Amino acid sequence: MKNKLQKLRDDFLRQLSTVDTSERLRDLELKYLSRKGELSEIMHELKNLSGELKRDIGGLANAVKTELQDKFTEARRLLDKRSGGERMTDVSLPGEKIINGHLNPITLVQNELEDLFTSLGFMVLDGPELESDYYNFTALNLSPDHPARDMQDTFYIDYKNKSGQYDLLMRTQTSPVQIRAMRKYGAPLKAIIPGRCFRNESTDARHEHTFYQVEGILVDKNINFANLKSFLEIVGQKLFGPDTKLRMRPKFFPFVEPGNNGEYSCFLCGGKGCRVCKNTGWLEIVGAGLIHPDVLRAGGIDPEVYSGLAFGFGLNRLAMLKYSINDVRLFNSGDLKFLEQF
Ligand code: DAH
């Protein structure tokens, strides 16, 4: 046992004298000095010795342990000093600055709308980007041969359903989630649905194949056009400031009746006319209307009992207005020079 201790001591010291990196130092510590190291093993074996021998060798083992630990500590101190001090020497030095990431301007505008509508008691829902023809068109009053489908050509999926029809497409609007929400939650219902949409577009500064909308739906008893008007007024004033005026102009959307475009007085020139509003004083911001009875029915809601309003914002357009962005293709470009500005 004595010999064993002696050998361990010599081996350790020999190896310690050649150690030149903190990794190797750590290895040595593990091998010899750690709880499962060779020295502990010997200490453990002491238990089996008897009387005087135990005292004798125990004393020696303790002396070796102290010596090796002292030598080890000293070696570590020298190594740290040599490597310029891996250890922190001045705790008052400033820390390393962490660079913040950037939110895409679409996300910023989406967050703003979510804050606004949740404060008005709306839920925020999600829906699938890969949609069925039925939800995206038919259930929204766009029958298979409806001419309004032409304006929303999209990417069709090469997959036939059980009846042998091509039924899957990338949704052209967030409106299909109106139907999904009505079927899931019934009435009364207040929800917005932000999300990504797709269309088969030749892209240019104003057209993009992938873009974002926020859909809104409110269903309850006795919802009428006056409710829609005051509602859109509140939304405009929250988005663009308390002096914002609303004008509603008729526009056809198959899933509402009557349908209209909500336009707000230009937040930049206050309605006088400028470059942003193309000298009209007004900005087209939101498509809206009272939900068509057929659409309520498709959502499983009785139009004799309930009525509702629906609206849809284009997020790209809102972000372009708000941040003076002149090319819609920048949003999906991943261009850091663009993204780092926000
Ligand atoms: N889905 C329409 C579009 O993509 C926008 C829209 C208009 C949504 C009127 C609505 C609405 O809910 O009532 O152009």
Side-chain angles (χ1 to χ4, degrees), residues 312-337:
F313 291 92
L315 284 190
N316 299 66
R317 176 163 161 72
L318 265 183
M320 287 173 85
L321 284 169
K322 187 160 177 175
Y323 299 108
S324 303
I325 296 164
N326 58 12
D327 192 327
V328 68
R329 291 168 295 191
L330 285 165
F331 291 113
N332 296 333
S333 67
D335 182 347
L336 287 180
K337 274 197 261 153

Side-chain angles (χ1 to χ4, degrees), residues 152 172-173 175 178 199 213 215-216 253 255-256 287-289 310-312:
Q152 302 197 3
T172 59
Q173 47 187 351
S175 307
Q178 285 188 27
R199 289 191 197 175
Q213 293 186 339
E215 191 78 15
F253 298 102
F255 32 88
V256 282
F311 52 90

Side-chain angles (χ1 to χ4, degrees), residues 50-69:
S50 57
E52 217 173 310
L53 201 57
K54 190 172 187 174
R55 210 175 317 123
D56 225 333
I57 300 196
L60 181 66
N62 273 330
V64 168
K65 187 176 175 191
T66 316
E67 185 193 2
L68 297 194
Q69 259 164 356

Side-chain angles (χ1 to χ4, degrees), residues 140 151-152 172-176 178 197 199 211 213-217 251 253 255-256 259-261 286-291 309-313:
L140 292 168
M151 293 191 332
Q152 302 197 3
T172 59
Q173 47 187 351
T174 42
S175 307
Q178 285 188 27
C197 306
R199 289 191 197 175
F211 57 97
Q213 293 186 339
V214 169
E215 191 78 15
I217 177 170
K251 173 145 191 209
F253 298 102
F255 32 88
V256 282
N260 65 91
N261 244 338
V286 53
L290 294 180
I291 305 175
L309 57 88
F311 52 90
F313 291 92

Side-chain angles (χ1 to χ4, degrees), residues 67-250:
E67 185 193 2
L68 297 194
Q69 259 164 356
D70 287 352
K71 290 262 161 62
F72 176 82
T73 311
E74 173 66 4
R76 183 154 68 189
R77 197 183 63 77
L78 287 175
L79 203 65
D80 282 346
K81 202 166 145 193
R82 201 151 36 103
S83 68
E86 286 168 17
R87 278 142 191 271
M88 192 179 285
T89 43
D90 181 355
V91 290
S92 68
L93 284 174
E96 245 176 74
K97 198 166 175 198
I98 295 171
I99 298 164
N100 278 342
H102 300 258
L103 290 179
N104 190 290
I106 298 276
T107 313
L108 293 172
V109 180
Q110 178 179 331
N111 289 348
E112 197 180 330
L113 283 177
E114 286 185 12
D115 284 351
L116 163 58
F117 283 104
T118 48
S119 80
L120 295 171
F122 282 69
M123 301 190 276
V124 180
L125 301 180
D126 211 1
E129 293 173 354
L130 177 61
E131 227 349 327
S132 72
D133 182 285
Y134 173 78
Y135 279 107
N136 194 77
F137 291 128
T138 313
L140 292 168
N141 245 352
L142 285 123
S143 53
D145 49 2
H146 199 294
R149 282 191 179 212
D150 289 353
M151 293 191 332
Q152 302 197 3
D153 190 20
T154 183
F155 305 99
Y156 287 84
I157 308 302
D158 190 7
Y159 174 82
K160 285 186 183 158
N161 66 13
K162 286 196 196 97
S163 351
Q165 287 156 330
Y166 291 105
D167 186 40
L168 290 178
L169 48 85
M170 300 308 289
R171 68 174 177 198
T172 59
Q173 47 187 351
T174 42
S175 307
V177 195
Q178 285 188 27
I179 308 286
R180 293 183 176 277
M182 286 191 278
R183 289 190 178 185
K184 182 159 183 194
Y185 297 101
L189 173 67
K190 279 162 97 177
I192 59 161
I193 305 103
R196 196 154 56 151
C197 306
F198 309 84
R199 289 191 197 175
N200 178 13
E201 299 273 6
S202 323
T203 58
D204 60 31
R206 280 154 39 86
H207 299 90
E208 176 61 298
H209 50 69
T210 302
F211 57 97
Y212 293 80
Q213 293 186 339
V214 169
E215 191 78 15
I217 177 170
L218 186 158
V219 182
D220 209 332
K221 289 185 173 143
N222 303 318
I223 299 296
N224 59 35
F225 203 78
N227 296 135
L228 177 61
K229 180 164 183 264
S230 66
F231 175 76
L232 290 181
E233 248 159 22
I234 293 170
V235 170
Q237 285 164 6
K238 289 244 187 185
L239 276 182
F240 300 116
D243 297 329
T244 306
K245 292 192 184 50
L246 166 75
R247 125 176 138 172
M248 297 169 87
R249 298 216 290 177

